[in-house]
Amino acid sequence: MASFRYTAFALVVLSSYFLVQLGASSKLKSSPFESALDKLQNQTGYTFKNIGYLRRAMTHPSFSQENNKALSILGSNVMDTSVSMYYLGQDIEISSKDLNRRISENSRGDTSCAADGMRLGLHKVVRVSPKTDSTAPAVVCNAFRAIFGAIAMDTKKVDDAGSVFWKVHGGEAGRAMVM
């Protein structure tokens, strides 16, 4: 009889432990930040295989040493390459001056890049220190660029990241697509 009570007690304790663990993991998955990342994936039409890349893309240097700086540089290059390919495909005779102007129109932090990022609501997603303004164009633009760096890393293909950029951006220089 004593072994039955011990077994029953052990089952109750173990089942309680597993229920607590299950509840804790559910809370982690449904945190506001994780929910925002899920929404962002839906908005961009790209689902990350390694969500860690998107987490890093949405982390400003003021928040952590593990941040979006490097992904933002890669993303900026993805955007510049995609814009270059698009306009060279339209007109192979485009002047370097005009091509540089088109690239600038698509990646300037105070216009197109920040507008695209604000439209996606990145200012509400990007993690920053309390002293940092998450709505500052540079913060939003770097997070926007970092998304495409993160996609390039996740797929190991720059072209895939460029395709998502055009889907999100809308395909016109300096104009963000309404979602």
Side-chain angles (χ1 to χ4, degrees):
M1 185 71 163
S3 70
F4 174 74
R5 285 185 198 165
Y6 178 76
T7 303
F9 176 76
L11 287 173
V12 169
V13 169
L14 286 174
S15 63
S16 297
Y17 173 77
F18 288 119
L19 287 174
V20 168
Q21 292 300 313
L22 181 63
S25 67
S26 297
K27 287 177 187 171
L28 287 176
K29 290 181 182 175
S30 63
S31 73
F33 183 64
E34 294 300 320
S35 296
L37 296 181
D38 288 342
K39 181 179 177 184
L40 187 54
Q41 289 179 95
N42 290 333
Q43 287 176 292
T44 62
Y46 180 79
T47 302
F48 281 82
K49 294 177 215 83
N50 180 347
I51 194 72
Y53 288 125
L54 184 56
R55 277 190 200 102
R56 184 177 284 258
M58 293 298 105
T59 304
H60 187 265
S62 68
F63 187 83
S64 173
Q65 288 184 344
E66 295 177 4
N67 57 60
N68 64 9
K69 274 183 166 181
L71 289 174
S72 181
I73 292 168
L74 176 57
S76 179
N77 285 304
V78 166
M79 292 166 59
D80 291 353
T81 300
S82 295
V83 171
S84 297
M85 295 291 290
Y86 176 80
Y87 285 108
L88 283 166
Q90 297 290 312
D91 179 10
I92 195 67
E93 300 297 327
I94 191 171
S95 71
S96 60
K97 180 180 177 182
D98 285 341
L99 183 58
N100 277 322
R101 182 179 53 79
R102 299 287 186 156
I103 291 168
S104 177
E105 288 171 351
N106 282 274
S107 61
R108 281 186 39 207
D110 59 341
T111 56
S112 178
C113 181
D116 285 343
M118 290 296 280
R119 184 181 38 74
L120 286 174
L122 298 185
H123 60 291
K124 297 175 185 173
V125 181
V126 67
R127 298 183 295 184
V128 298
S129 75
K131 295 179 182 179
T132 302
D133 179 6
S134 66
T135 64
V139 171
V140 175
C141 189
N142 285 339
F144 183 72
R145 291 172 180 153
I147 290 172
F148 306 108
I151 292 170
M153 291 301 299
D154 196 50
T155 63
K156 307 293 187 242
K157 296 178 184 173
V158 173
D159 289 346
D160 290 348
S163 295
V164 175
F165 164 70
W166 283 113
K167 179 183 177 226
V168 171
H169 180 65
E172 288 186 49
R175 296 191 54 191
M177 180 177 77
V178 176
M179 293 183 117

